[in-house]
């Protein structure tokens, strides 16, 4: 949109500068190819580099927009917020700033949605909220997502991004790994489908629980996926890791993911997979 | 005792490792090796023995005692094949209707290249998923360090107990300190914040029992464990499998926000 008065001559130096500033859009540099791209161009292209196809991180709401049928996403448990249960230093501030930064109440959003007309329960983790770390609220929302899907006999479609279990909630964060895995197992034992898309980065306690428990595991190109973080491994083995270690492509090579799923065709791939599991012929 | 002293006690040189618990609590123990997929992980010992005469499957993380032994056991940090061996033996126990007793003692699952190449995350995830519905009683005891997911992979159980001087935590105090204060030396503060002692965990309802220790002689602790393990297994004899699994699900379901 062209703002009003754009072509009007500036009355003074200050006014002139203001108009110019409004139009300098911040650019991002692609870490893979160095291409300079504006935030809006990137958004338009679903946070994928226009030149080399590098997948930038993406907010949970943007993902829902990309994947779910228009206006089909009905969010659930949106009001759940974390408390500083252990009185952990700095956690209150961290929660406050994460809320402000992400615009979300916690590190995952859950809802019922339709994808290509297929009803499902979706969970999408949020990188801007403490890098999607799993505390008690994230664990509870994901558990509820699987329990609801089991009750309604719906598939679950999940998108992971996480630094792992959330340190600030101590052992209760660790327990979420067992809790979510229990709910995934019940959903699975009921004969229902769980598709998970691993996005950059998916590590730690999330990798070691529901991220790796899908019937079908997809990963976005270049995504870092692992149990231990690369820095921890390097400190342990006192060596630099080879290029490409723990990327989605590395996992594909080693047999741990079913397919790489670039964002451009991701919705179609998911619709096809959902259709292949649909009971209607 | 302060939290950090507990951390030191849990890691203390000369503290009994899993082998000693096995030798003192069970009879006729036969070790069973390998995951039937890749290899045999020395960091996890598995086998069958008798608990007061009753056959049980025992799975334990073993840190080793001599330097050579410690290296062979990777200081108690399992690779994926260790977790897969554990799961294989748990499934075997289910088939033959044997209760499973797990001893947990690890600083964490091993963060190495090979571990990642062979799917450390997947191996742990599969254990969490399968243990939750294992159709036989499972009791886990933390005897030293309970380091994060690598410990939990042997502790999705009907009851979880801790030795008085063991710890159980989502992250090591060193790891926590370096993230929080960018200073790995602030371990004392981190140990307090994490609430990782047996008392803390009992208070939070994460464990069912604390096993008292005396300074030098563990024989009283072994006897106590033997008695309580026998009772825990006997108490579950009259329970249907459905009820057993429902209770196990609820045990973990209740943790955290509702």
């Amino acid at each position: 949109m062209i703002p009003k008065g754009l072509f009007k001559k500036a009355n003074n130096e200050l006014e002139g500068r203001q108009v110019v500033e409004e139009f300098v859009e911040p650019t991002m540099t692609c870490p893979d190819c160095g291409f300079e791209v504006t935030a809006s161009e990137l958004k338009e292209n679903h946070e994928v580099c226009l030149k080399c196809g590098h997948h930038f991180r993406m907010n949970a709401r943007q993902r829902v927009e990309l994947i779910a049928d228009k206006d089909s996403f009905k969010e659930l448990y949106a009001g759940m917020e974390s408390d500083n249960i252990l009185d952990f230093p700095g956690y209150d501030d961290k929660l406050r700033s994460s809320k402000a930064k992400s615009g979300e109440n916690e590190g995952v959003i859950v809802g019922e949605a339709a994808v290509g007309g297929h009803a499902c329960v979706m969970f999408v983790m949020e990188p801007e909220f403490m890098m999607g770390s799993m505390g008690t609220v994230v664990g509870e929302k994901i558990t509820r997502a699987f329990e609801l899907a089991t009750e309604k006999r719906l598939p679950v479609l999940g998108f992971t991004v996480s630094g792992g279990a959330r340190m600030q909630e101590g052992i209760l964060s660790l327990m979420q790994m067992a809790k979510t895995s229990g709910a995934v197992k019940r959903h699975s034992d009921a004969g229902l489908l769980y598709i998970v898309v691993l996005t950059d980065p998916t590590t730690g306690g999330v990798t070691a629980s529901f991220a790796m428990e899908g019937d079908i595991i997809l990963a976005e190109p270049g995504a870092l996926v692992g149990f231990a973080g690369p820095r921890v491994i390097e400190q342990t083995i006192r060596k630099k890791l080879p290029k490409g270690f723990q990327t989605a492509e590395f996992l594909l090579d080693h047999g741990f993911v079913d397919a790489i799923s670039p964002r451009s065709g991701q919705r179609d791939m998911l619709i096809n997979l959902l259709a292949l599991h649909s009971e209607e012929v | 005792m302060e939290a950090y002293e507990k951390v030191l006690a849990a890691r203390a040189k000369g503290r009994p490792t899993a082998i000693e618990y096995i030798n003192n609590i069970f009879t006729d123990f036969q070790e069973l090796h390998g995951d039937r997929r890749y290899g045999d992980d020395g960091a996890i010992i598995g086998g069958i023995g008798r608990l007061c005469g009753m056959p049980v499957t025992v799975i334990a993380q073993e840190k080793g005692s001599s330097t050579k032994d410690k290296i062979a056991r990777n200081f108690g940090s399992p690779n994926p094949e260790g977790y897969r061996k554990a799961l294989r033996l748990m499934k075997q126990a289910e088939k033959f209707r044997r209760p499973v007793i797990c001893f947990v003692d690890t600083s964490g699952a091993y963060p190495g290249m090979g571990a990642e190449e062979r799917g450390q995350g997947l191996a742990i995830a599969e254990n969490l998923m399968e243990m939750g519905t294992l159709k036989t009683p499972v009791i886990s005891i933390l005897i030293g360090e309970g380091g994060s997911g690598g410990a939990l992979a042997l502790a999705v159980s009907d009851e979880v107990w801790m030795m008085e001087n063991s710890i159980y935590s989502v992250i090591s105090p060193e790891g926590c300190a370096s993230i929080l204060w960018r200073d790995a030396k602030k371990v004392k503060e981190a140990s307090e914040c994490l609430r990782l002692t047996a008392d803390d965990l009992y208070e939070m309802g994460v464990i069912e029992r604390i096993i008292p220790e005396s300074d030098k002689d563990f024989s009283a602790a072994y006897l106590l464990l033997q008695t309580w393990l026998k009772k825990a297994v006997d108490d579950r004899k009259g329970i249907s499998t459905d009820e057993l699994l429902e209770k196990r699900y609820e045990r973990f379901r209740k943790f955290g926000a509702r």
Side-chain angles (χ1 to χ4, degrees), chain A residues 62-249:
Chain A
Q62 276 179 280
R63 281 198 186 278
V64 169
E65 211 173 289
L66 173 67
I67 300 299
D69 296 352
K70 200 171 183 315
D71 299 327
S72 75
F73 187 76
K74 304 274 179 296
E75 193 176 355
L76 297 161
Y77 330 122
M80 291 186 77
E81 294 177 33
S82 294
D83 293 320
N84 189 356
I85 35 181
L86 300 187
D87 221 1
F88 205 93
Y91 188 33
D92 291 303
D93 288 344
K94 195 100 190 167
L95 286 171
R96 241 191 318 270
S97 62
S98 297
K99 272 181 208 172
K101 200 169 145 198
S102 66
E104 302 293 347
N105 281 330
E106 248 303 336
V108 67
I109 59 173
V110 169
E112 283 190 64
V115 178
H118 301 280
C120 62
V121 174
M122 264 177 97
F123 73 82
V124 189
M125 301 183 87
E126 171 58 56
E128 299 270 28
F129 200 104
M130 296 182 75
M131 195 40 86
S133 71
M134 175 160 64
T136 54
V137 169
V138 168
E140 177 69 22
K141 286 173 88 168
I142 285 169
T143 302
R144 285 190 193 180
F146 279 94
E147 287 179 342
L148 177 74
T150 307
E151 190 190 309
K152 293 197 162 183
R153 300 204 55 81
L154 291 173
V156 172
L157 181 52
F159 294 82
T160 61
V161 52
S162 184
R166 189 176 296 174
M167 178 178 79
Q168 290 87 343
E169 292 185 27
I171 199 76
L172 293 173
S173 294
L174 189 71
M175 292 303 121
Q176 303 311 306
M177 292 168 63
K179 181 165 123 181
T180 52
S181 297
V184 175
K185 183 69 161 57
R186 286 194 165 185
H187 182 257
S188 176
D189 285 350
L192 300 166
L193 172 70
Y194 167 32
I195 303 175
V196 61
V197 183
L198 312 176
T199 80
D200 183 67
T202 296
T203 61
V206 166
T207 299
S209 62
F210 59 86
M212 282 289 158
E213 293 168 349
D215 297 294
I216 294 171
I217 305 178
L218 308 175
E220 287 198 333
L224 174 84
V225 180
F227 174 65
R231 253 181 312 163
V232 175
I233 302 172
E234 287 182 339
Q235 279 163 14
T236 306
I237 64 174
R238 295 192 186 95
K239 265 198 301 203
K240 270 249 166 255
L241 288 171
K243 206 172 177 306
F245 194 76
Q246 295 182 306
T247 56
E249 294 75 13

Side-chain angles (χ1 to χ4, degrees), chain B residues 84-237:
Chain B
R84 291 184 178 124
K85 169 165 72 175
L87 185 57
R88 174 177 82 82
L89 295 176
M90 286 184 217
K91 288 284 179 189
Q92 187 189 67
E94 181 181 60
K95 175 178 173 183
F96 294 104
R97 302 181 171 279
R98 281 192 293 267
V100 178
I101 316 290
C102 296
F103 294 92
V104 177
D105 189 11
T106 183
S107 59
Y110 189 60
M113 279 179 77
E116 296 292 322
E117 284 163 348
R118 300 192 293 278
Q120 188 77 287
L122 176 73
I124 295 170
E126 284 182 329
N127 279 23
L128 303 185
M129 215 175 164
E130 295 301 326
M131 282 185 86
T133 54
L134 199 74
K135 298 184 188 73
T136 190
V138 189
I139 309 289
S140 296
I141 306 132
L142 286 106
I143 61 169
E145 281 185 281
S148 197
L152 182 67
L154 294 188
V156 184
S157 317
D158 301 311
E159 289 195 23
V160 179
W161 305 343
M162 283 175 79
M163 297 301 291
E164 189 186 329
N165 291 320
S166 65
I167 56 168
Y168 194 8
S169 180
V170 67
I171 188 171
S172 70
E174 289 79 5
C176 174
S178 68
I179 293 172
L180 204 58
W181 296 289
R182 305 200 179 279
D183 183 0
K185 291 191 190 81
K186 292 206 170 179
V187 275
K188 277 188 188 171
E189 291 88 332
S191 305
E192 291 292 338
C193 293
L194 286 167
R195 307 274 308 270
L196 43 63
T197 69
D199 283 338
D200 289 330
L201 269 71
Y202 185 79
E203 203 181 296
M204 286 189 270
V206 175
I207 59 164
E208 278 80 7
R209 263 186 204 285
I210 300 174
I211 289 76
E213 294 176 22
S214 71
D215 279 350
K216 289 198 174 60
D217 187 10
F218 266 68
S219 55
Y222 296 140
L223 194 64
L224 205 56
L225 265 175
Q226 194 182 51
T227 312
W228 280 344
L229 281 170
K230 176 77 164 56
K231 187 175 182 309
V233 168
D234 285 346
D235 285 350
R236 283 168 177 79
K237 274 185 179 156

